[in-house]
C-alpha cells in the first residue's frame, strides 16, 4: 500500500475533534507550535486539515463568532463563507511545519 500525501500530513499533525471551537484550535496550534491540525470526526476518522492561516483569517472576519466549530470550517457552512476549504499545510504561512521540512526563523 502506497501512502498518499494526506496520509503523510495526517501522521505529523496533531489530531483534534471536529467539535473543537476555532478559538481552542488556535490555542492548540500555538501550544503545539505547528501550522495546521488534522480534524477528525467522532469515529477518529480524518475529515480534513485546518491551517493557522485559515483559522486566523476566519477569526479576523465579520462572520466570526466564538461558537464556530472546526466542522463548520470544513463543511463550508455560511458561517465560514469566504474561508476556502481544502487548504493544505503549505498554505499556513511562515510558521507551518511540514513533514521533512526545516523550520526557519527570521
Amino acid at each position: 500500500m502506497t501512502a498518499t500525501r494526506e496520509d503523510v500530513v495526517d501522521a505529523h499533525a496533531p489530531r483534534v475533534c471536529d467539535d473543537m471551537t476555532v478559538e481552542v484550535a488556535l490555542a492548540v496550534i500555538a501550544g503545539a507550535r505547528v501550522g495546521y491540525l488534522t480534524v477528525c470526526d467522532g469515529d477518529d476518522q480524518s475529515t480534513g486539515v485546518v491551517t493557522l492561516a485559515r483559522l486566523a483569517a476566519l477569526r479576523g472576519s465579520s462572520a466570526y463568532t466564538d461558537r464556530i466549530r472546526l466542522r463548520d470550517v470544513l463543511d463550508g457552512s455560511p458561517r465560514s463563507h469566504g474561508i476556502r476549504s481544502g487548504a493544505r499545510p503549505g498554505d499556513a504561512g511562515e510558521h507551518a511545519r511540514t513533514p521533512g521540512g526545516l523550520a526557519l526563523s527570521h
Side-chain angles (χ1 to χ4, degrees):
M1 182 166 136
T2 303
T4 66
R5 180 173 190 263
E6 286 77 20
D7 293 334
V8 173
V9 167
D10 287 351
H12 290 76
R15 297 172 67 87
V16 298
C17 190
D18 64 358
D19 69 346
M20 180 179 285
T21 64
V22 168
E23 204 63 37
V24 172
L26 285 166
V28 170
I29 287 173
R33 299 183 64 146
V34 296
Y36 59 96
L37 300 171
T38 299
V39 181
C40 300
D41 62 15
D43 295 325
D44 200 34
Q45 298 297 310
S46 175
T47 57
V49 173
V50 291
T51 65
L52 171 60
R54 190 163 150 213
L55 295 178
L58 175 59
R59 186 173 62 182
S61 77
S62 61
Y64 179 74
T65 74
D66 62 357
R67 295 180 182 217
I68 296 177
R69 308 261 176 207
L70 294 180
R71 73 172 64 98
D72 299 329
V73 176
L74 291 176
D75 74 6
S77 71
R79 289 180 293 206
S80 63
H81 179 71
I83 307 301
R84 70 186 172 91
S85 61
R88 302 306 309 168
D91 299 336
E94 66 181 278
H95 301 291
R97 286 195 307 184
T98 55
L102 296 174
L104 301 175
S105 61
H106 297 286

